[in-house]
Amino acid sequence: MDSGESNLIEIEHKYDVDTDFAFPDLAGLSPGVVAASPQTQQLAATYFDTDDLRLAGAHITLRRRTGGSDAGWHVKLPVNTDTRRELHFPLGAETGIVPPRIAALAAEWTRGEPLRPIARLDTVRTVRRLLDDAGQVLAEVADDRVTGSRPDSAGWRESASWREIEVELVSGTRRLLDAAGKRLRAAGAQPSASASKLSRLLGTGPPAPSHDRG
């Protein structure tokens, strides 16, 4: 890929929490694991799809996001229940139009239908990184307060707001992912009922995988 582009595998578990959820201490999930000081980010993402939501129906996400450490265009493709292939592209200018190279990646599913903005998510994200004793990042835990908007004739209309937590592996193991989930559930978190923020806003897509329901 060209400079500024990347191709990643994303493995994460998502949890729904109340707005007053008390975040637990995640240190000591396994020997030597420590939690770095939390950092707050302001994220703004515009999502694109066809009028009949062909990408959402195929569990594909196409968005342009500003803020955080990975601002840019993102295309997320499903691999299995909790794993996605994520393609990153440079942010570029905001034109409201999907760049042709990125649109071409979705052409198999859009089948000639134009892409348009279908949702906007504004997120206040508090990130806690889980580190090993050498300082290597094992996982990132994002505590997200989300406001979702849909387009209408006057522009954007706020449709929903909620709080959720994502635990994403970086260099750690699934054992750490499961241990973090157990700690969060003990504090009152529940496995997410939606596969993604976008599907929650749109009310589309199947329930999220039941990885932690047992």
Side-chain angles (χ1 to χ4, degrees):
M1 284 189 165
D2 295 337
S3 176
E5 300 177 10
S6 63
N7 184 346
L8 308 171
I9 295 296
E10 175 187 85
I11 302 173
E12 70 177 15
H13 288 173
K14 296 167 59 67
Y15 300 88
D16 294 333
V17 296
D18 295 332
T19 55
D20 59 354
F21 176 76
F23 205 95
D25 183 5
L26 296 180
L29 290 174
S30 61
V33 172
V34 299
S37 298
Q39 299 178 340
T40 301
Q41 304 171 350
Q42 300 279 345
L43 311 177
T46 301
Y47 291 76
F48 294 79
D49 205 335
T50 62
D51 284 336
D52 56 358
L53 303 179
R54 294 182 179 184
L55 297 185
H59 316 298
I60 294 168
T61 300
L62 195 168
R63 73 184 179 203
R64 181 183 186 271
R65 189 169 76 184
T66 59
S69 59
D70 63 346
W73 287 89
H74 304 154
V75 181
K76 295 188 177 186
L77 305 168
V79 175
N80 57 41
T81 54
D82 62 358
T83 305
R84 292 186 290 180
R85 179 184 175 211
E86 184 170 345
L87 307 176
H88 287 192
F89 298 86
L91 192 61
E94 183 176 4
T95 64
I97 299 173
V98 179
R101 182 176 180 186
I102 300 174
L105 294 172
E108 176 182 347
W109 297 275
T110 58
R111 300 188 298 279
E113 289 296 311
L115 291 163
R116 65 175 181 85
I118 53 117
R120 189 175 74 189
L121 293 175
D122 295 291
T123 302
V124 179
R125 167 168 288 181
T126 302
V127 178
R128 295 169 171 84
R129 294 180 172 87
L130 303 181
L131 314 175
D132 65 14
D133 52 12
Q136 183 176 11
V137 179
L138 302 173
E140 290 191 351
V141 183
D143 182 356
D144 291 343
R145 296 178 183 268
V146 186
T147 301
S149 302
R150 302 290 304 277
D152 63 17
S153 58
W156 291 100
R157 173 178 51 85
E158 184 177 324
S159 300
S161 61
W162 67 91
R163 184 181 177 191
E164 67 178 45
I165 293 171
E166 299 178 351
V167 185
E168 181 177 351
L169 286 183
V170 179
S171 64
T173 66
R174 285 184 177 272
R175 180 175 295 180
L176 178 64
L177 193 67
D178 293 340
K182 183 176 181 181
R183 186 78 56 90
L184 291 167
R185 294 196 316 277
Q190 297 294 325
S192 181
S194 301
S196 68
K197 290 181 175 66
L198 180 61
S199 65
R200 178 167 183 162
L201 179 61
L202 298 180
T204 62
S210 57
H211 49 266
D212 280 323
R213 297 185 191 276

